[in-house]
Amino acid sequence: MRVKVVLELSNSSAGAVPQGGYRSFSGKVTKYYRKMSRLPVYQVILAVTGFPTFLFVLVKYLLAKQNSRYYSCRRDMARQLEEAGAKEQLHQSVLSSTQKKYAFLHKETSQEALNKEVSRAVEQRFSELVESELAKTPEGQALSRPDLASSYESWMESPLFFLFSLVTAPVMYLIILIYSNPYSKYIADRLVMMVFVIFGVTFLVFTILYFSPSDPAINALGELATPEQVQRFKELHGLDQPYLVQLFKAFKNIATFDLGKTYIGNEDVLTALLRKFPATLSITLASLCVSLLLSIIPGIISAMKQYSAFDYIFMLVALLGLSIPNFWLGLVMIMEFSIHLRWVPATYSAGQLATIIMPAIVLGTELSATIARMTRSSMLEVKSQDYILTARAKGLSSRRVTFKHILGNAMIPIVTAIGLQFGGLLGGSSVTEKIFNVSGVGSYIVDKQFVPDTPAVLSGVVYIAIIISIVNLAVDILYAFLDPRIKSKMKNY
């Protein structure tokens, strides 16, 4: 289905639509409508988003089902099989096998429950038998079974109906358009899954905070607060309400993007997160650049010169990078480069590039060690494959083999590692942000956790869940551009 065709149809009158072009377009729409209507979830989506259209389709389907020659032949076949004793034979067979099953399992059941189970199984098997026998007859082979898709297809023969449905149910056609493209369908499915993840995270975090022994009112007002002040604080922030009421309010705030206000300072949480996000983003991007510079090329050289002096030294440095704690490295860099040498400022300041250098190096060092080790191990695995030997035997240059064939096929785990680390850094590195006095998301969540300031902590955790989900989605889509095998699977998604 093409957006251009939809626009042409919507901008032209019903009489001016070329019949051949419309038939081609309606055939494509019906094709995807039929695919979606086979799945119960999409049936519900189509019914809800295209209610007026679905009502017309449903009425036509019920009328077609009532007057259908297919169902008439099916009823005749069922009657013939019943008269031949097929249903009775099925009943005896299912009853015998069910009794043997319970006897083998040494399990007792009531006669009523046994009869219900046998009846369900007999009806299902008899229906399958009727369908099978009807399909063997010439008349049954010539008939088609009425369904919602065929009813929709008959309605779509009229351009007037399409224009009516396009006006009354545009969301349904938008969903069909998304479904028609495998990439947009994959992205839409992942975004829907992300919604469930967000609400699941909200439920878990809120429940943990609610049953936490720490009292936000006492922590916010201080130990000297009177019982009247504590009660007034709880009434003001809704902390005196039952658990389910507060949980529903938390879900409502997340759904409406109204994250509430903090207990201390009465600050809007969404505004605070948006204000602190640029600092976290700038440091994350800078640290990613540092890590890629320190990891990719050395990792490639280490893999191509396995067991060389460079390989041993590089792996030792990577191991040290993984072992050195961020807080220790940050404090050492402040002592050396800020206090002794006075090269760069010790604390972060928005808008000054020099203040990003040390936080980026601290975060990039650990990240580069992970990426470097992943690059080396992934390239060593690909390097030993038969197709690499074939590429060398064809006379390809060493550089071409290394960068196109080895690195190209080793990028999947490397990109995965980069994506996971990048998503974690976007969630905020609280330790590094505290050391360099960065007013970022990580330090903000940690500060609010000690209250605990439920709206701020809940919103911060949901933010991290959203960021990680979006980064993982981007990495999964990037797979299709790196590996043709994944691309072919996504085309058939």
Side-chain angles (χ1 to χ4, degrees):
M1 184 171 59
R2 297 284 188 267
V3 180
K4 180 180 178 182
V5 179
V6 176
L7 294 176
E8 288 177 354
L9 287 173
S10 60
N11 290 332
S12 59
S13 61
V17 176
Q19 192 66 14
Y22 176 75
R23 286 185 181 277
S24 175
F25 166 73
S26 62
K28 291 181 180 180
V29 175
T30 307
K31 169 188 173 183
Y32 293 112
Y33 188 95
R34 183 180 296 276
K35 284 185 176 181
M36 295 177 69
S37 60
R38 291 172 184 168
L39 303 174
V41 174
Y42 284 109
Q43 283 183 0
V44 175
I45 293 175
L46 291 174
V48 173
T49 58
F51 176 72
T53 301
F54 182 79
L55 193 59
F56 276 87
V57 173
L58 182 62
V59 170
K60 194 171 186 65
Y61 164 70
L62 294 176
L63 293 175
K65 184 178 180 180
Q66 184 178 1
N67 303 320
S68 172
R69 177 63 181 163
Y70 173 85
Y71 283 102
S72 176
C73 294
R74 192 180 186 280
R75 287 192 293 269
D76 293 340
M77 179 61 69
R79 185 172 60 253
Q80 293 175 13
L81 291 174
E82 284 188 16
E83 291 175 355
K87 194 168 188 178
E88 183 64 27
Q89 293 178 6
L90 277 176
H91 185 275
Q92 294 297 331
S93 175
V94 172
L95 177 62
S96 176
S97 62
T98 306
Q99 289 175 341
K100 289 179 180 179
K101 179 186 70 174
Y102 282 112
F104 178 78
L105 297 175
H106 303 288
K107 185 178 179 181
E108 296 183 358
T109 184
S110 64
Q111 188 64 34
E112 182 180 0
L114 179 64
N115 291 336
K116 286 183 178 180
E117 182 178 352
V118 171
S119 298
R120 285 196 300 267
V122 168
E123 291 298 330
Q124 180 180 355
R125 292 190 183 183
F126 185 72
S127 177
E128 295 174 355
L129 179 62
V130 171
E131 295 282 352
S132 175
E133 293 298 323
L134 182 60
K136 295 177 182 178
T137 63
E139 188 176 13
Q141 293 175 359
L143 295 174
S144 60
R145 182 176 183 176
D147 55 9
L148 289 173
S150 60
S151 301
Y152 177 78
E153 184 176 5
S154 63
W155 274 117
M156 281 291 287
E157 292 178 359
S158 170
L160 288 174
F161 172 78
F162 167 69
L163 292 176
F164 165 78
S165 61
L166 185 62
V167 172
T168 57
V171 178
M172 183 188 75
Y173 285 101
L174 178 61
I175 293 175
I176 294 176
L177 179 63
I178 293 173
Y179 184 88
S180 64
N181 185 279
Y183 293 103
S184 60
K185 178 189 173 186
Y186 179 78
I187 293 173
D189 287 348
R190 291 293 298 270
L191 291 177
V192 171
M193 290 173 57
M194 189 173 69
V195 173
F196 289 99
V197 170
I198 290 171
F199 280 97
V201 168
T202 302
F203 168 75
L204 290 175
V205 174
F206 178 83
T207 302
I208 293 173
L209 293 175
Y210 180 85
F211 292 104
S212 173
S214 180
D215 190 345
I218 298 296
N219 293 338
L221 298 176
E223 296 291 341
L224 300 179
T226 63
E228 291 79 11
Q229 291 175 327
V230 172
Q231 183 62 28
R232 201 158 48 244
F233 180 90
K234 291 183 177 181
E235 292 176 357
L236 177 64
H237 295 284
L239 298 177
D240 58 333
Q241 296 177 347
Y243 165 75
L244 292 179
V245 175
Q246 295 188 47
L247 179 62
F248 176 78
K249 184 179 179 182
F251 284 151
K252 179 182 176 183
N253 290 343
I254 296 296
T256 57
F257 299 98
D258 179 14
L259 304 182
K261 297 184 181 297
T262 59
Y263 294 160
I264 300 177
N266 199 33
E267 182 183 26
D268 186 77
V269 177
L270 181 60
T271 304
L273 288 175
L274 292 177
R275 189 176 65 251
K276 296 178 181 299
F277 177 73
T280 299
L281 178 62
S282 60
I283 293 177
T284 299
L285 293 176
S287 62
L288 181 64
C289 294
V290 170
S291 64
L292 294 179
L293 289 173
L294 296 178
S295 60
I296 297 297
I297 299 301
I300 294 173
I301 298 174
S302 180
M304 301 310 296
K305 297 183 178 181
Q306 188 181 12
Y307 303 131
S308 63
F310 179 87
D311 184 27
Y312 285 116
I313 295 173
F314 174 73
M315 293 307 298
L316 177 61
V317 173
L319 182 62
L320 290 175
L322 287 173
S323 305
I324 296 176
N326 284 350
F327 70 89
W328 181 85
L329 181 60
L331 293 175
V332 168
M333 292 189 69
I334 290 174
M335 289 288 295
E336 185 65 27
F337 298 106
S338 296
I339 297 177
H340 292 164
L341 300 177
R342 300 179 182 271
W343 286 356
V344 289
T347 58
Y348 172 81
S349 178
Q352 297 184 14
L353 294 178
T355 60
I356 302 179
I357 295 176
M358 287 199 298
I361 292 176
V362 170
L363 291 175
T365 300
E366 181 180 3
L367 181 59
S368 62
T370 303
I371 297 174
R373 291 175 65 88
M374 182 61 69
T375 302
R376 179 182 181 275
S377 61
S378 182
M379 289 195 65
L380 286 176
E381 182 179 355
V382 175
K383 180 182 174 182
S384 60
Q385 298 297 320
D386 292 339
Y387 57 84
I388 301 300
L389 181 61
T390 303
R392 295 186 188 279
K394 287 182 177 180
L396 297 180
S397 64
S398 178
R399 179 179 300 179
R400 184 177 178 83
V401 171
T402 300
F403 287 97
K404 182 176 181 179
H405 294 278
I406 299 179
L407 183 61
N409 288 282
M411 283 301 295
I412 294 294
I414 299 173
V415 170
T416 302
I418 293 174
L420 291 174
Q421 297 290 336
F422 182 71
L425 291 179
L426 274 179
S429 180
S430 55
V431 175
T432 305
E433 289 181 0
K434 281 293 184 183
I435 291 173
F436 294 99
N437 195 29
V438 179
S439 182
V441 176
S443 60
Y444 176 77
I445 296 174
V446 170
D447 290 339
K448 297 301 181 182
Q449 174 62 38
F450 291 106
V451 176
D453 203 325
T454 302
V457 175
L458 192 62
S459 302
V461 175
V462 169
Y463 154 80
I464 294 175
I466 293 174
I467 289 295
I468 292 178
S469 299
I470 292 176
V471 171
N472 288 339
L473 174 60
V475 169
D476 289 342
I477 295 173
L478 188 58
Y479 287 164
F481 296 95
L482 297 174
D483 194 333
R485 295 169 297 181
I486 298 177
K487 187 175 183 178
S488 62
K489 289 181 181 179
M490 288 192 68
K491 285 184 177 179
N492 297 323
Y493 179 74

PDB file of all heavy atoms in Angstrom, residues 25-36:
ATOM      1  N   PHE A  25      -5.411  -0.958  -5.512  1.00  0.00           N
ATOM      2  CA  PHE A  25      -5.251  -0.422  -4.166  1.00  0.00           C
ATOM      3  C   PHE A  25      -6.129  -1.165  -3.163  1.00  0.00           C
ATOM      4  O   PHE A  25      -5.679  -1.572  -2.091  1.00  0.00           O
ATOM      5  CB  PHE A  25      -5.598   1.063  -4.174  1.00  0.00           C
ATOM      6  CG  PHE A  25      -5.801   1.649  -2.804  1.00  0.00           C
ATOM      7  CD1 PHE A  25      -4.727   1.878  -1.974  1.00  0.00           C
ATOM      8  CD2 PHE A  25      -7.075   1.930  -2.338  1.00  0.00           C
ATOM      9  CE1 PHE A  25      -4.905   2.399  -0.715  1.00  0.00           C
ATOM     10  CE2 PHE A  25      -7.265   2.446  -1.084  1.00  0.00           C
ATOM     11  CZ  PHE A  25      -6.178   2.689  -0.269  1.00  0.00           C
ATOM     12  N   SER A  26      -7.408  -1.369  -3.506  1.00  0.00           N
ATOM     13  CA  SER A  26      -8.319  -2.062  -2.590  1.00  0.00           C
ATOM     14  C   SER A  26      -7.877  -3.498  -2.354  1.00  0.00           C
ATOM     15  O   SER A  26      -8.051  -4.039  -1.257  1.00  0.00           O
ATOM     16  CB  SER A  26      -9.746  -2.036  -3.150  1.00  0.00           C
ATOM     17  OG  SER A  26      -9.802  -2.725  -4.391  1.00  0.00           O
ATOM     18  N   GLY A  27      -7.278  -4.113  -3.389  1.00  0.00           N
ATOM     19  CA  GLY A  27      -6.767  -5.469  -3.203  1.00  0.00           C
ATOM     20  C   GLY A  27      -5.643  -5.525  -2.185  1.00  0.00           C
ATOM     21  O   GLY A  27      -5.579  -6.447  -1.366  1.00  0.00           O
ATOM     22  N   LYS A  28      -4.769  -4.516  -2.212  1.00  0.00           N
ATOM     23  CA  LYS A  28      -3.677  -4.474  -1.230  1.00  0.00           C
ATOM     24  C   LYS A  28      -4.204  -4.221   0.177  1.00  0.00           C
ATOM     25  O   LYS A  28      -3.759  -4.846   1.140  1.00  0.00           O
ATOM     26  CB  LYS A  28      -2.683  -3.384  -1.621  1.00  0.00           C
ATOM     27  CG  LYS A  28      -1.894  -3.692  -2.889  1.00  0.00           C
ATOM     28  CD  LYS A  28      -0.913  -2.582  -3.218  1.00  0.00           C
ATOM     29  CE  LYS A  28      -0.126  -2.898  -4.488  1.00  0.00           C
ATOM     30  NZ  LYS A  28       0.823  -1.827  -4.826  1.00  0.00           N
ATOM     31  N   VAL A  29      -5.169  -3.302   0.283  1.00  0.00           N
ATOM     32  CA  VAL A  29      -5.748  -3.016   1.602  1.00  0.00           C
ATOM     33  C   VAL A  29      -6.424  -4.261   2.157  1.00  0.00           C
ATOM     34  O   VAL A  29      -6.265  -4.617   3.327  1.00  0.00           O
ATOM     35  CB  VAL A  29      -6.741  -1.844   1.506  1.00  0.00           C
ATOM     36  CG1 VAL A  29      -7.433  -1.632   2.846  1.00  0.00           C
ATOM     37  CG2 VAL A  29      -6.032  -0.569   1.075  1.00  0.00           C
ATOM     38  N   THR A  30      -7.203  -4.938   1.312  1.00  0.00           N
ATOM     39  CA  THR A  30      -7.915  -6.139   1.749  1.00  0.00           C
ATOM     40  C   THR A  30      -6.938  -7.251   2.131  1.00  0.00           C
ATOM     41  O   THR A  30      -7.182  -8.012   3.069  1.00  0.00           O
ATOM     42  CB  THR A  30      -8.843  -6.627   0.624  1.00  0.00           C
ATOM     43  OG1 THR A  30      -9.684  -5.552   0.204  1.00  0.00           O
ATOM     44  CG2 THR A  30      -9.704  -7.778   1.102  1.00  0.00           C
ATOM     45  N   LYS A  31      -5.829  -7.333   1.411  1.00  0.00           N
ATOM     46  CA  LYS A  31      -4.824  -8.351   1.699  1.00  0.00           C
ATOM     47  C   LYS A  31      -4.304  -8.208   3.124  1.00  0.00           C
ATOM     48  O   LYS A  31      -4.235  -9.190   3.878  1.00  0.00           O
ATOM     49  CB  LYS A  31      -3.683  -8.231   0.703  1.00  0.00           C
ATOM     50  CG  LYS A  31      -2.456  -9.057   1.038  1.00  0.00           C
ATOM     51  CD  LYS A  31      -1.307  -8.725   0.100  1.00  0.00           C
ATOM     52  CE  LYS A  31      -0.016  -9.416   0.527  1.00  0.00           C
ATOM     53  NZ  LYS A  31       1.132  -9.037  -0.343  1.00  0.00           N
ATOM     54  N   TYR A  32      -3.953  -6.968   3.508  1.00  0.00           N
ATOM     55  CA  TYR A  32      -3.428  -6.760   4.855  1.00  0.00           C
ATOM     56  C   TYR A  32      -4.545  -6.818   5.901  1.00  0.00           C
ATOM     57  O   TYR A  32      -4.307  -7.236   7.032  1.00  0.00           O
ATOM     58  CB  TYR A  32      -2.684  -5.428   4.927  1.00  0.00           C
ATOM     59  CG  TYR A  32      -1.424  -5.422   4.105  1.00  0.00           C
ATOM     60  CD1 TYR A  32      -1.300  -4.629   2.968  1.00  0.00           C
ATOM     61  CD2 TYR A  32      -0.355  -6.237   4.444  1.00  0.00           C
ATOM     62  CE1 TYR A  32      -0.144  -4.635   2.201  1.00  0.00           C
ATOM     63  CE2 TYR A  32       0.807  -6.250   3.686  1.00  0.00           C
ATOM     64  CZ  TYR A  32       0.897  -5.455   2.566  1.00  0.00           C
ATOM     65  OH  TYR A  32       2.045  -5.472   1.815  1.00  0.00           O
ATOM     66  N   TYR A  33      -5.750  -6.427   5.525  1.00  0.00           N
ATOM     67  CA  TYR A  33      -6.888  -6.557   6.440  1.00  0.00           C
ATOM     68  C   TYR A  33      -7.133  -8.032   6.748  1.00  0.00           C
ATOM     69  O   TYR A  33      -7.417  -8.397   7.890  1.00  0.00           O
ATOM     70  CB  TYR A  33      -8.128  -5.929   5.814  1.00  0.00           C
ATOM     71  CG  TYR A  33      -9.314  -5.827   6.750  1.00  0.00           C
ATOM     72  CD1 TYR A  33      -9.560  -4.662   7.468  1.00  0.00           C
ATOM     73  CD2 TYR A  33     -10.192  -6.892   6.908  1.00  0.00           C
ATOM     74  CE1 TYR A  33     -10.641  -4.568   8.318  1.00  0.00           C
ATOM     75  CE2 TYR A  33     -11.272  -6.813   7.761  1.00  0.00           C
ATOM     76  CZ  TYR A  33     -11.490  -5.650   8.457  1.00  0.00           C
ATOM     77  OH  TYR A  33     -12.573  -5.562   9.314  1.00  0.00           O
ATOM     78  N   ARG A  34      -7.022  -8.877   5.712  1.00  0.00           N
ATOM     79  CA  ARG A  34      -7.223 -10.319   5.918  1.00  0.00           C
ATOM     80  C   ARG A  34      -6.138 -10.896   6.830  1.00  0.00           C
ATOM     81  O   ARG A  34      -6.420 -11.709   7.716  1.00  0.00           O
ATOM     82  CB  ARG A  34      -7.225 -11.024   4.566  1.00  0.00           C
ATOM     83  CG  ARG A  34      -7.502 -12.528   4.630  1.00  0.00           C
ATOM     84  CD  ARG A  34      -7.477 -13.147   3.234  1.00  0.00           C
ATOM     85  NE  ARG A  34      -8.551 -12.609   2.423  1.00  0.00           N
ATOM     86  CZ  ARG A  34      -9.800 -13.073   2.448  1.00  0.00           C
ATOM     87  NH1 ARG A  34     -10.107 -14.077   3.252  1.00  0.00           N
ATOM     88  NH2 ARG A  34     -10.707 -12.541   1.652  1.00  0.00           N
ATOM     89  N   LYS A  35      -4.894 -10.492   6.627  1.00  0.00           N
ATOM     90  CA  LYS A  35      -3.811 -10.973   7.482  1.00  0.00           C
ATOM     91  C   LYS A  35      -4.017 -10.569   8.934  1.00  0.00           C
ATOM     92  O   LYS A  35      -3.807 -11.376   9.849  1.00  0.00           O
ATOM     93  CB  LYS A  35      -2.470 -10.417   6.975  1.00  0.00           C
ATOM     94  CG  LYS A  35      -1.931 -11.100   5.733  1.00  0.00           C
ATOM     95  CD  LYS A  35      -0.544 -10.559   5.402  1.00  0.00           C
ATOM     96  CE  LYS A  35       0.058 -11.291   4.212  1.00  0.00           C
ATOM     97  NZ  LYS A  35       1.417 -10.785   3.884  1.00  0.00           N
ATOM     98  N   MET A  36      -4.433  -9.326   9.140  1.00  0.00           N
ATOM     99  CA  MET A  36      -4.612  -8.840  10.502  1.00  0.00           C
ATOM    100  C   MET A  36      -5.816  -9.502  11.170  1.00  0.00           C
ATOM    101  O   MET A  36      -5.793  -9.775  12.377  1.00  0.00           O
ATOM    102  CB  MET A  36      -4.780  -7.320  10.489  1.00  0.00           C
ATOM    103  CG  MET A  36      -3.554  -6.567  10.004  1.00  0.00           C
ATOM    104  SD  MET A  36      -3.784  -4.778   9.901  1.00  0.00           S
ATOM    105  CE  MET A  36      -3.891  -4.375  11.647  1.00  0.00           C
TER     106      MET A  36
END
